[in-house]
Amino acid sequence: MLNFNQVIFLGQLGGDVKIKEFDTKAGGKYRTLRFNACANHTTYTASGDKRETAQWFHVVQNFNADAKGKYPPMHDYLSDNLNKGVTVHVTGRIQTREFKDTENVLQTITEVITNGKGSISVQAQSGSSSGQVVERDSNSSSGGKEISRNNNETSQVDATIDADDEPF
């Protein structure tokens, strides 16, 4: 039987990205970027009244450090540009996990994990009419070219998030 787990949404960040660093079992390091994003859904009642509902997503992206302790350019780009109100296009898989909150109460959270075949794209803001993704390749000798980047290069995290690691 074929199974498929994928979510795609376009929404705005509800706050700035939060970054935590962890040690892997193999002795390396990785960072977790987390943020909340909201996608609105508009429906109309039988009488024609407009009704908007908001769906909040908890998004998680992990990045491994290389042997020198440096993170990939995409980590720096996302940590600098994921700020409250920014529009993002996110592709990932749904995952539910449990954790203990600060009062030691077991909580459940459903997250969008963008590692693997997922991606996070920061969308052009109001100053750009093209609506294209604004991502720059910092390794380009021309000072940066527009790229479409998939986060496959960051998907080899060999550690799991601590069960008591709160989501935000």
Side-chain angles (χ1 to χ4, degrees), residues 96-109 162-167:
T96 302
R97 69 177 177 91
E98 294 180 337
F99 67 96
K100 289 188 178 180
D101 64 13
T102 56
E103 297 167 0
N104 210 25
V105 176
L106 191 63
Q107 301 286 330
T108 302
I109 187 169
D162 295 335
D164 61 353
D165 178 34
E166 290 188 50

Side-chain angles (χ1 to χ4, degrees), residues 23-166:
D23 294 325
T24 65
K25 293 176 184 174
K29 292 195 178 294
Y30 75 96
R31 287 186 182 159
T32 299
L33 278 66
R34 298 174 186 273
F35 60 90
N36 290 329
C38 177
N40 293 330
H41 179 71
T42 304
T43 56
Y44 294 89
T45 64
S47 62
D49 295 332
K50 184 177 177 180
R51 201 180 274 170
E52 274 196 8
T53 56
Q55 177 65 52
W56 284 94
F57 296 92
H58 305 284
V59 182
V60 178
Q61 171 68 52
N62 295 312
F63 289 95
N64 280 336
D66 63 15
K68 295 179 182 176
K70 294 195 176 254
Y71 290 93
M74 191 61 154
H75 169 273
D76 296 333
Y77 176 81
L78 290 175
S79 60
D80 290 343
N81 290 288
L82 292 176
N83 300 311
K84 184 176 182 174
V86 168
T87 301
V88 290
H89 179 271
V90 176
T91 304
R93 65 182 168 81
I94 298 288
Q95 177 177 299
T96 302
R97 69 177 177 91
E98 294 180 337
F99 67 96
K100 289 188 178 180
D101 64 13
T102 56
E103 297 167 0
N104 210 25
V105 176
L106 191 63
Q107 301 286 330
T108 302
I109 187 169
T110 301
E111 300 169 317
V112 177
I113 309 298
T114 60
N115 291 66
K117 298 192 184 277
S119 65
I120 302 170
S121 300
V122 177
Q123 301 298 300
Q125 297 303 304
S126 60
S128 170
S129 60
S130 68
Q132 295 199 6
V133 175
V134 179
E135 292 187 21
R136 300 283 175 188
D137 182 358
S138 62
N139 295 327
S140 173
S141 60
S142 65
K145 61 179 181 174
E146 286 191 11
I147 60 169
S148 173
R149 182 167 305 213
N150 192 330
N151 290 336
N152 286 339
E153 68 186 71
T154 64
S155 63
Q156 297 113 10
V157 172
D158 60 356
T160 57
I161 297 171
D162 295 335
D164 61 353
D165 178 34
E166 290 188 50

